[in-house]
């Protein structure tokens, strides 16, 4: 029975993707066909889907999307980018390095890779081209850095991973062999993602320096200007305070991630309307429209992906896959290598949130069986899938950067390969040394 279910579920899913069906349609139709084959009442499909969006932490999803849209509309993102640019100075590849820092700043508000790429790219790609950087290089560094938007907390994919993993306790056999595992919580995932995000950003900066030196991308001849840096920090003070208020509130335990998302909206509204005075009614309605569209798209994927994953779990498919992987090897480093390359491959073809919802029920039992901490596994999974934003054929960040710079996806993809490589190296370091992700949560009492 299990092999027939896998054949119908994944066969129909891959076939629909191959003929160009949207991923939501592919997930929904393949799941419904399997329900009919199992002679299940189709109303169960609707009940599971409806339950999937009844989680309180999920409220953070539309709130953080709205906060990111308002931040761009209110002028906060532009001021953050100006601050990052002022630090570039005479540094080799300084403008592209400023792009990496700007993506870190903006990602700490939006939690979205494409949103980060769009907001930063609209300002930094033309600025880099004007300074003599190649169009393909400017687009590639922006698309690659945009992936930091889903790694640096608050991260929408980490929220989705937390929701998916909350209903999957460690199997008794894994607990008996490795001891009790820590519980999954979204604040813990956020804290665990902090140091890996900076490691990945650091790897991008190293590769940027090497490539900028090779291509002759010099900094400004004037050198650093303390006055300019101070002026930009003064102008962007309230923008710089946004990540501090949001992340500080979460890490201190003053409010939950869901409450932090509401605080982010309120903070951005006040700063944009009363301090910077750039938030108009027209921009507000545009931000709401963008949020509605993005949230609806994500929730439709969640509807169908949750039922897809539930079918897998109910029919013991994850246990079969875990046993299959463990029969190959019990070496944790080989398992990590298999998992990372598999996620890199899947991330090239599938949307990140759908991938998380589908694969968490499949791969988390493998992690438990190897004694891998679920928080550590979640961080590595999200970091790895973040590379999918800069690799074709899906590569959402590539499409956004291509639209801004007006050059082909192929040229940007080739220029982005060194950044994808160095990001992969950083992910292996995070996977092989779990303390990079787990040290900070432990220090903070988690």
């Amino acid at each position: 029975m299990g092999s027939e279910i896998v054949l119908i579920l994944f066969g129909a899913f891959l076939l629909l993707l191959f003929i160009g069906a949207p991923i939501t349609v592919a997930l929904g139709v393949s799941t419904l066909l399997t329900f009919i084959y199992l002679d299940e009442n189709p109303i169960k499909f609707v009940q599971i889907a409806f339950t999937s969006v009844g989680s309180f932490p999920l409220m953070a999803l539309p709130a953080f999307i709205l906060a990111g849209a308002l931040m761009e509309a209110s002028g906060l993102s532009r001021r953050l980018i100006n601050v990052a640019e002022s630090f570039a100075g005479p540094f080799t590849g300084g403008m592209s390095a400023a792009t990496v820092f700007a993506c870190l700043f903006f990602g700490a508000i939006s939690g979205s890779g494409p949103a980060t790429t769009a907001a930063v790219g609209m300002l930094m790609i033309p600025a880099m081209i004007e300074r003599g950087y190649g169009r393909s290089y400017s687009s590639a560094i922006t698309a690659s850095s945009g992936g930091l938007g889903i790694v640096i907390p608050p991260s929408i994919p980490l929220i989705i991973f937390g929701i998916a993993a909350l209903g999957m306790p460690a199997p008794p056999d894994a607990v008996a062999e490795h001891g009790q595992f820590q519980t999954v919580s979204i604040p813990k995932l956020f804290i665990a993602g902090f140091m890996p995000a900076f490691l990945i950003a650091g790897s991008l900066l190293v590769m940027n320096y090497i490539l900028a030196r090779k291509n002759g991308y010099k900094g400004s001849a004037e050198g650093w200007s303390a006055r300019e840096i101070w002026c930009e920090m003064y102008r962007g003070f309230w923008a710089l305070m946004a990540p501090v208020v949001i992340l500080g509130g979460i890490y201190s335990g003053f409010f939950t991630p869901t409450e932090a998302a509401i605080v982010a909206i309120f903070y951005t509204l006040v700063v944009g309307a009363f301090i910077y005075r750039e938030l108009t009614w027209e921009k507000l309605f545009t931000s709401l429209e963008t949020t509605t569209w993005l949230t609806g798209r994500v929730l439709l994927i969640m509807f169908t992906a949750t039922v897809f994953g539930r079918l897998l779990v109910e029919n013991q498919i994850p246990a079969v896959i875990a046993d299959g992987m463990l029969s190959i090897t019990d070496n944790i480093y080989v398992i990590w290598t298999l998992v990372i390359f598999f996620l890199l491959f899947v991330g090239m073809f599938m949307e990140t949130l759908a991938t998380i919802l589908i694969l968490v029920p499949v791969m988390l039992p493998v992690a438990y069986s190897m004694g891998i901490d679920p928080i550590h596994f979640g961080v590595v999974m999200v970091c790895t899938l973040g590379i999918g934003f800069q690799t074709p054929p899906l590569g959402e960040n590539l499409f956004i950067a291509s639209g801004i710079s007006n050059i082909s996806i192929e040229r940007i993809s080739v220029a982005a390969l060194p950044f994808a490589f160095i990001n992969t190296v950083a992910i292996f370091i995070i996977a092989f040394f779990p303390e990079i992700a787990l040290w900070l949560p432990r220090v903070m009492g988690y």
Side-chain angles (χ1 to χ4, degrees):
M1 176 69 78
S3 59
E4 289 90 345
I5 292 170
V6 171
L7 182 62
I8 295 169
L9 192 61
F10 284 99
F13 174 66
L14 294 173
L15 176 63
L16 287 163
L17 284 182
F18 180 75
I19 63 176
I23 191 166
T24 305
V25 174
L27 286 167
V29 171
S30 59
T31 305
L32 195 56
L33 286 174
T34 310
F35 263 89
I36 294 170
Y37 174 79
L38 293 171
D39 201 25
E40 295 268 11
N41 188 341
I43 197 66
K44 183 180 177 183
F45 181 104
V46 180
Q47 290 171 337
I48 297 171
F50 183 77
T51 305
S52 69
V53 294
S55 170
F56 176 71
L58 192 60
M59 288 177 61
L61 176 67
F64 275 123
I65 293 174
L66 178 57
L70 288 173
M71 188 178 179
E72 185 176 1
S74 303
L76 274 75
S77 58
R78 188 181 72 254
R79 286 169 173 82
L80 287 176
I81 291 167
N82 289 342
V83 171
E85 189 177 349
S86 69
F87 279 94
F91 185 76
T92 300
M95 281 289 289
S96 44
T99 301
V100 177
F101 283 112
C103 287
L104 267 178
F105 281 134
F106 191 81
I109 299 293
S110 72
S112 166
T116 300
T117 304
V120 175
M122 288 293 289
L123 296 171
M124 294 303 289
I125 290 177
M128 283 188 279
I129 294 171
E130 191 179 329
R131 293 278 186 93
Y133 287 71
R135 283 182 179 271
S136 58
Y137 186 85
S138 304
S139 304
I141 185 67
T142 306
S144 302
S145 303
L148 293 168
I150 73 163
V151 179
I152 189 77
S155 159
I156 291 172
L158 281 177
I159 293 172
I160 299 301
F161 176 88
I163 293 169
L166 281 172
M168 293 193 63
D173 292 346
V175 174
E177 182 176 355
H178 302 288
Q180 196 67 39
F181 292 87
Q182 65 173 321
T183 57
V184 175
S185 74
I186 292 171
K188 202 184 301 183
L189 283 165
F190 280 0
I191 298 170
F194 205 81
M195 290 180 66
F198 276 91
L199 176 62
I200 293 173
S203 71
L204 287 172
L205 289 170
V206 169
M207 182 58 70
N208 170 66
Y209 179 79
I210 294 170
L211 294 176
R213 190 169 182 178
K214 176 185 175 183
N215 294 322
Y217 298 147
K218 305 285 186 185
S220 62
E222 296 83 12
W224 275 292
S225 168
R227 184 177 184 278
E228 182 185 354
I229 293 173
W230 170 252
C231 288
E232 292 298 344
M233 289 184 69
Y234 176 78
R235 294 189 194 104
F237 173 78
W238 293 105
L240 290 169
M241 285 299 294
V244 175
V245 170
I246 296 164
L247 298 179
I250 295 172
Y251 296 162
S252 65
F254 193 72
F255 38 71
T256 67
T258 305
E259 293 165 346
I262 307 303
V263 170
I265 292 172
F266 180 77
Y267 181 90
T268 309
L269 282 172
V270 171
V271 172
F274 300 108
I275 298 178
Y276 293 152
R277 298 182 181 179
E278 293 187 23
L279 185 62
T280 62
W281 285 107
E282 183 182 355
K283 290 181 178 180
L284 177 60
F285 287 126
T286 301
S287 299
L288 290 170
E289 183 181 345
T290 302
T291 303
T292 303
W293 184 84
L294 286 174
T295 304
R297 176 169 167 261
V298 171
L299 290 181
L300 279 173
I301 293 172
M302 279 200 67
F303 277 149
T304 49
T306 301
V307 189
F308 190 97
R310 180 73 68 86
L311 265 179
L312 291 175
V313 173
E314 288 181 351
N315 291 279
Q316 305 297 313
I317 306 302
V320 173
I321 294 172
D323 291 340
M325 290 187 70
L326 295 175
S327 67
I328 299 172
T329 179
D330 59 356
N331 186 304
I332 191 170
Y333 299 109
V334 176
I335 292 290
W336 265 127
T337 301
L338 292 173
V339 167
I340 289 171
F341 279 118
F342 176 67
L343 290 173
L344 286 173
F345 176 76
V346 173
M348 292 171 63
F349 298 95
M350 284 182 61
E351 201 272 343
T352 302
L353 301 184
T355 304
I356 292 171
L357 289 164
I358 293 170
L359 293 184
V360 166
V362 175
M363 305 192 77
L364 194 55
V366 177
Y368 280 131
S369 299
M370 293 301 299
I372 297 171
D373 185 276
I375 299 293
H376 179 215
F377 181 79
V379 169
V380 173
M381 184 178 199
V382 170
C383 290
T384 308
L385 292 176
I387 296 180
F389 284 105
Q390 67 191 76
T391 51
L394 185 61
E396 292 178 74
N397 290 3
L398 296 177
F399 286 96
I400 293 170
S402 173
I404 296 170
S405 60
N406 198 28
I407 63 169
S408 68
I409 296 289
E410 290 78 12
R411 288 179 60 189
I412 302 175
S413 300
V414 171
L417 284 176
F419 298 112
F421 169 76
I422 199 69
N423 276 0
T424 304
V425 171
I427 287 165
F428 271 100
I429 293 171
I430 296 165
F432 290 171
F433 299 94
E435 284 301 299
I436 294 173
L438 300 178
W439 176 77
L440 192 57
R442 187 168 56 250
V443 168
M444 298 187 68
Y446 286 90

